[in-house]
Amino acid sequence: QVQLVESGGGLVQAGGSLRLSCVASGRTFSMDNMAWFRQAPGREREFVAVTITWSGGSTYYADSVKGRFTISRDNGKNTVYLQMNGLKPEDTAVYYCAADRDHRGLYSDTRSYDYWGQGTQVTVSS
């Protein structure tokens, strides 16, 4: 059974940091593009960051998090991370990990991803 399990969310004050983890199981994910998305109440799920395998591990970020968030992966542990620094109240959302097996769509499009985690809540207080 393929699973992505996120952890590391929580409540933090503005300016603080959190590190999210996503552990994948059930198949090998080393060739998948791995991404983080987030969804705030009443809003659509939005792209946050991705690590692309075919381009030697290039990373791309949403403009809203660029310079504050860092995505990384450890293929030996089947794990992808999201280090979040300088958190703002507008970063409050449920954060989801996703895996793109086929590499056929846009990395920022939710429809490109084949597997999703259950999400972890991040709340940033002002």
Side-chain angles (χ1 to χ4, degrees):
Q1 181 182 1
V2 174
Q3 275 193 313
L4 300 178
V5 180
E6 302 97 334
S7 63
L11 173 64
V12 64
Q13 288 189 330
S17 298
L18 283 174
R19 188 195 196 203
L20 306 184
S21 298
C22 171
V23 179
S25 62
R27 59 180 289 273
T28 299
F29 286 83
S30 59
M31 296 307 295
D32 291 12
N33 294 339
M34 299 295 294
W36 289 93
F37 285 76
R38 67 187 181 186
Q39 188 167 18
R43 301 188 63 176
E44 292 188 353
R45 194 168 297 189
E46 65 175 7
F47 167 76
V48 175
V50 65
T51 172
I52 304 290
T53 53
W54 60 263
S55 64
S58 295
T59 56
Y60 299 93
Y61 299 89
D63 287 343
S64 58
V65 307
K66 203 171 294 183
R68 300 187 297 122
F69 291 11
T70 302
I71 188 171
S72 61
R73 67 192 296 168
D74 183 338
N75 287 334
K77 295 182 179 179
N78 250 9
T79 302
V80 62
Y81 305 97
L82 185 68
Q83 177 66 44
M84 306 186 294
N85 299 328
L87 283 161
K88 305 175 181 180
E90 51 263 45
D91 294 319
T92 296
V94 177
Y95 283 70
Y96 297 91
C97 173
D100 172 11
R101 177 191 59 203
D102 300 320
H103 303 189
R104 287 182 298 196
L106 295 174
Y107 62 72
S108 58
D109 190 339
T110 58
R111 296 170 295 180
S112 299
Y113 292 84
D114 305 287
Y115 306 104
W116 290 87
Q118 83 292 345
T120 185
Q121 176 70 47
V122 171
T123 303
V124 184
S125 63
S126 56

